[in-house]
Amino acid sequence: MWFPRSIAWCIFLGALSFVYFAKALSGSYLKSTITQIERRFDIPSSLVGVIDGSFEIGNLLTIILVSYFGAKLHRPRIIGAGCLIMSAGTFLIAMPQFFMGRYRYERFPSTMNSTVSISPCLQDKSQTPLSDLEKSQAKINAGCEREAGSSMWIYVLLGNLLRGIGETPIQPLGITYIDDYAIEEDAALYIGCVQTLAIIGPIFGFLLGSLCAKLYVDIGFVDLDSLTITYKDVQWVGAWWLGYLIAGVISVVAGIPFWFLPKHLPKPEGRKDSSTSSEQSKFITEDNKEQHKSYQQQVKIGEMAKDFLPSLKNLFGNPVYILYLCASILHFNSLIGMVTYKPKYIEQQYGQTSSKTNFVIGLINIPAVAFGIFSGGLIMKKFRISVLGAAKLSLGSSFFGYLLLLSLFAMGCENSDVAGLTVSYHGTKQMSGYEQGLFSDCNSDCMCSQNDWDPICGENGITYVSACLAGCQASNGSGKNTVFFNCSCVGILESPSRSSSAVMGPCQKGNECPKMFLYFLVTSVITSYTLSVGGTPGYMLLLRCIKPHLKSFALGIYTLAVRVLAGIPAPVYFGVAIDTTCLKWGSKRCGGRGACRLYHSSTLRYMYLGLTLVLGTMSVFFSVAVLWVLRKRSAPQDETLSANGERGTCVTNSRKDNFFNSDHLIQTTYWPEKETRL
């Protein structure tokens, strides 16, 4: 179907923006469900990191072929096909919910509306009827038989892998399509707008995650009135699967317009007779300026393949491209690791619920990123910043962003007082390994398991791993309203002869923690904005220093390197590092280590922020090297042009009129109302 150029161009921009929205929504929704997936499948953070990294593995499988051959084929339709594959993967992620059993959380029998009165501190088995114990054990054994042959999290991994394959063509083919058919001076603004609109996706993704986290995982399958926990409980798992069904439908709808768009659009008047801009010719070395076939020609697949290795050699012979690639790899290692585990960090460090954490990230953090990306594109447009100026802006953004990140080290909360883990039963801070520390004289007469995690809050402000380990002898009420009495370990700090009470759930963090959380949010917003300003200038730096017919290929290799060396490993080694800070591991029903129940707050803070800062600092050094190479290249060119009586197109000091200086671009086509009109 053929549309007039203006209509087809508007449809493409709108459709590409919506696709960016769709892929960003599903990707951010996955980040928002990290802790939910951990609890539902009872797996550690390192394994969740592997699941998260499978998206990048999917990209790795197809990125080179799609970016190289896709640039010479029908780009819009390839993007449309990618949307269908992406939606299929999103649906697959949600499938385990419909094939695995109902979620079972740890609860002492007396809190589960049981008709049998059982003391939390089982001093002997006679307190529980033998038939009840046998039935309970039989149910556990039956569950083990079902669970032993199934690892349903593999379907989540495969679905995310398929999402990665489907997302592959969107960025390299979409961005280069804009750069090819837009007026050159407007390309940066268009790309900035597309990426800014894409940020709406994560906003809705995290807000959707916040909503689903409040809904019980088995909603529609169980009687919600029978639940003994709320969404504020540490064992709560939300309806994580529901958001993936919604995201899958959105991905299908997003891909429809691309099937009706043309392969090529007529080029703007100013670009019809030119294949490269003056700035591109300046930073592309002489041996890269030979004549090449237009990729709009009908080229055989064999001829394309023949040019593959020379094109690859051409790219890796460009020092600006290589240095910027190294800087980006380190930068994205830092950002991907930080973003992946940010919800977990907020939950564990500041004691917030999953729902509130996702709501805060979606409503406060993500808009700051959107505003930062748009600001970068607007600055490029408004001040007509040169390639050299773009490198400076990108470097300054990273430098000041990571400088602000330093202050977050001082904005943490102390460990919660958990008897046997962070404090002793006598209230002292120094503790040994939790296997030995969980048991004390006050609960020595009880038959307790160290593997249980059913925390209660004593009236002394200390959290106990379970009512049994707190030495509680009696309870009143059922479900979430249960109150425990005669808890020998709770009263040990006041009077050995006096026992005390406790309620369900862990105690709240210290009084200073809400204030620290507020400081963290403010600083995090400013940091996110600062780091995001350099996004669009970085893209333009990449595009303007590469031969026009290699732009798709260059972006593809760039994306491949970021996926392989940042997207895949970062969530894994961040997860491994976070796992080392765990104080209390959960246990699976059939034995083995499950998900972490409690982290050491201070160690988690230093590990999480420290890794982010070290990687970011290393990327800044490579950004300095990029700026040095660009300065070195610009100086000889400026001297040559000045000798011929012409003004240089790029000098070390940015000027308003140095962005375009080419015969095929007419300066009068710029007017201030363009931004408002767009």
Side-chain angles (χ1 to χ4, degrees):
M1 186 179 295
W2 180 256
F3 298 101
R5 185 191 186 280
S6 59
I7 296 178
W9 179 246
C10 291
I11 292 175
F12 180 81
L13 282 178
L16 186 65
S17 298
F18 190 51
V19 168
Y20 263 71
F21 167 84
K23 78 181 185 73
L25 183 145
S26 57
S28 60
Y29 183 75
L30 177 67
K31 306 292 186 187
S32 74
T33 57
I34 286 292
T35 55
Q36 308 292 317
I37 291 174
E38 274 190 34
R39 294 172 189 166
R40 184 65 180 99
F41 297 98
D42 216 6
I43 54 179
S45 296
S46 54
L47 190 52
V48 172
V50 174
I51 293 174
D52 187 76
S54 64
F55 177 85
E56 320 299 348
I57 296 175
N59 266 261
L60 168 63
L61 296 176
T62 54
I63 186 66
I64 293 183
L65 295 177
V66 168
S67 59
Y68 185 71
F69 293 111
K72 306 170 191 295
L73 301 175
H74 200 302
R75 285 182 281 184
R77 288 184 182 174
I78 293 176
I79 294 174
C83 291
L84 293 179
I85 297 173
M86 189 166 59
S87 65
T90 308
F91 288 133
L92 183 60
I93 294 176
M95 286 303 102
Q97 174 63 24
F98 303 99
F99 297 108
M100 60 196 304
R102 305 281 77 83
Y103 173 61
R104 294 186 293 268
Y105 46 87
E106 299 174 22
R107 267 294 179 264
F108 182 73
S110 67
T111 70
M112 301 189 69
N113 299 325
S114 174
T115 58
V116 180
S117 178
I118 306 173
S119 169
C121 178
L122 292 175
Q123 295 180 345
D124 57 73
K125 289 188 177 180
S126 63
Q127 291 185 0
T128 304
L130 186 59
S131 58
D132 289 342
L133 288 173
E134 289 175 343
K135 289 178 182 179
S136 177
Q137 188 61 42
K139 288 180 181 179
I140 293 175
N141 291 338
C144 289
E145 290 176 4
R146 288 195 300 268
E147 293 177 359
S150 62
S151 298
M152 301 300 287
W153 58 266
I154 293 177
Y155 289 95
V156 181
L157 185 146
L158 293 177
N160 206 32
L161 183 80
L162 205 57
R163 274 189 59 243
I165 294 174
E167 191 266 353
T168 302
I170 296 174
Q171 180 178 342
L173 302 188
I175 294 297
T176 54
Y177 199 87
I178 290 178
D179 196 60
D180 286 339
Y181 298 113
I183 297 174
E184 189 172 1
E185 67 179 31
D186 291 339
L189 186 60
Y190 287 142
I191 293 174
C193 288
V194 168
Q195 291 182 330
T196 300
L197 291 175
I199 296 297
I200 299 176
I203 294 176
F204 279 85
F206 278 101
L207 291 180
L208 182 62
S210 175
L211 174 63
C212 292
K214 282 188 175 182
L215 304 176
Y216 187 62
V217 60
D218 292 322
I219 185 173
F221 299 97
V222 299
D223 180 13
L224 298 181
D225 293 332
S226 65
L227 296 179
T228 60
I229 57 176
T230 68
Y231 72 93
K232 296 181 179 180
D233 197 283
V234 292
Q235 298 186 71
W236 176 271
V237 174
W240 61 274
W241 51 274
L242 184 60
Y244 290 110
L245 297 181
I246 297 173
V249 172
I250 293 175
S251 295
V252 172
V253 174
I256 294 175
F258 290 97
W259 296 97
F260 303 98
L261 288 170
K263 180 179 180 181
H264 305 297
L265 291 175
K267 288 200 172 186
E269 287 295 326
R271 299 187 66 170
K272 283 185 177 179
D273 301 323
S274 64
S275 61
T276 183
S277 69
S278 58
E279 280 210 303
Q280 280 180 295
S281 63
K282 177 175 183 175
F283 291 102
I284 300 174
T285 55
E286 292 297 327
D287 61 328
N288 293 339
K289 293 183 183 178
E290 72 276 0
Q291 294 295 323
H292 60 272
K293 294 180 180 180
S294 171
Y295 61 81
Q296 295 182 11
Q297 293 178 271
Q298 296 296 324
V299 186
K300 294 180 180 179
I301 298 295
E303 294 176 352
M304 297 183 208
K306 187 178 179 181
D307 291 336
F308 179 79
L309 289 179
S311 298
L312 190 64
K313 183 180 178 181
N314 196 314
L315 281 180
F316 285 102
N318 187 333
V320 175
Y321 181 79
I322 290 298
L323 289 172
Y324 183 75
L325 183 62
C326 292
S328 297
I329 289 171
L330 290 167
H331 182 63
F332 279 103
N333 264 281
S334 172
L335 294 185
I336 290 172
M338 180 175 67
V339 171
T340 299
Y341 294 102
K342 191 167 191 175
K344 173 186 277 291
Y345 178 76
I346 293 176
E347 289 177 39
Q348 294 294 330
Q349 187 69 210
Y350 302 102
Q352 303 298 320
T353 64
S354 294
S355 178
K356 184 176 180 179
T357 297
N358 291 327
F359 182 81
V360 165
I361 292 176
L363 208 60
I364 299 178
N365 253 104
I366 303 299
V369 174
F371 187 49
I373 291 176
F374 182 75
S375 297
L378 192 61
I379 291 171
M380 291 283 293
K381 168 73 176 175
K382 185 75 174 177
F383 299 99
R384 303 183 185 181
I385 294 178
S386 65
V387 171
L388 194 61
K392 291 178 180 178
L393 185 57
S394 181
L395 172 61
S397 168
S398 296
F399 177 77
F400 287 108
Y402 288 115
L403 201 61
L404 285 169
L405 195 66
L406 271 173
S407 61
L408 295 182
F409 281 95
M411 302 175 191
C413 297
E414 294 297 324
N415 287 315
S416 297
D417 290 339
V418 182
L421 294 177
T422 61
V423 296
S424 71
Y425 283 88
H426 296 278
T428 58
K429 296 290 183 183
Q430 188 172 358
M431 286 301 306
S432 59
Y434 77 84
E435 291 87 351
Q436 295 77 29
L438 287 176
F439 298 104
S440 178
D441 293 338
C442 61
N443 57 31
S444 59
D445 293 333
C446 302
M447 297 178 60
C448 304
S449 170
Q450 66 182 15
N451 296 324
D452 292 339
W453 177 256
D454 190 9
I456 64 171
C457 179
E459 63 179 25
N460 56 3
I462 294 179
T463 298
Y464 295 85
V465 172
S466 68
C468 182
L469 288 170
C472 299
Q473 304 293 329
S475 63
N476 186 21
S478 63
K480 47 200 169 191
N481 299 317
T482 303
V483 178
F484 298 95
F485 298 100
N486 300 325
C487 301
S488 56
C489 295
V490 175
I492 197 172
L493 296 179
E494 300 176 6
S495 172
S497 61
R498 178 177 175 268
S499 295
S500 301
S501 63
V503 296
M504 292 298 303
C507 299
Q508 295 296 318
K509 290 268 188 176
N511 295 331
E512 293 295 319
C513 207
K515 187 187 299 183
M516 286 296 178
F517 180 53
L518 181 61
Y519 294 156
F520 170 83
L521 286 181
V522 173
T523 307
S524 180
V525 166
I526 299 174
T527 302
S528 299
Y529 171 80
T530 306
L531 288 172
S532 302
V533 168
T536 303
Y539 262 115
M540 300 314 298
L541 168 64
L542 195 63
L543 292 172
R544 292 292 179 253
C545 293
I546 298 167
K547 288 201 303 182
H549 72 293
L550 290 178
K551 283 185 292 188
S552 288
F553 189 42
L555 277 179
I557 294 295
Y558 174 85
T559 306
L560 170 67
V562 170
R563 303 289 192 197
V564 174
L565 301 177
I568 296 174
V572 177
Y573 66 75
F574 263 80
V576 171
I578 288 173
D579 281 343
T580 62
T581 68
C582 184
L583 290 174
K584 177 70 172 72
W585 289 98
S587 297
K588 295 184 178 180
R589 293 176 61 84
C590 304
R593 195 172 74 176
C596 183
R597 306 302 189 189
L598 182 70
Y599 293 88
H600 192 285
S601 294
S602 300
T603 308
L604 174 64
R605 181 169 69 253
Y606 291 125
M607 190 69 72
Y608 173 77
L609 296 178
L611 263 179
T612 303
L613 190 62
V614 168
L615 291 167
T617 303
M618 292 170 64
S619 74
V620 169
F621 286 114
F622 278 98
S623 297
V624 172
V626 170
L627 185 60
W628 181 79
V629 172
L630 289 176
R631 281 182 178 274
K632 188 177 179 181
R633 285 192 175 188
S634 66
Q637 295 285 345
D638 290 337
E639 291 174 3
T640 303
L641 292 172
S642 298
N644 293 331
E646 300 176 5
R647 189 167 68 184
T649 59
C650 181
V651 292
T652 54
N653 294 323
S654 299
R655 301 172 184 171
K656 283 187 179 181
D657 56 354
N658 70 349
F659 188 59
F660 297 107
N661 187 25
S662 178
D663 294 336
H664 67 273
L665 290 177
I666 303 174
Q667 294 297 327
T668 54
T669 59
Y670 172 81
W671 65 94
E673 291 81 9
K674 272 190 178 179
E675 292 88 350
T676 306
R677 184 174 178 180
L678 178 65

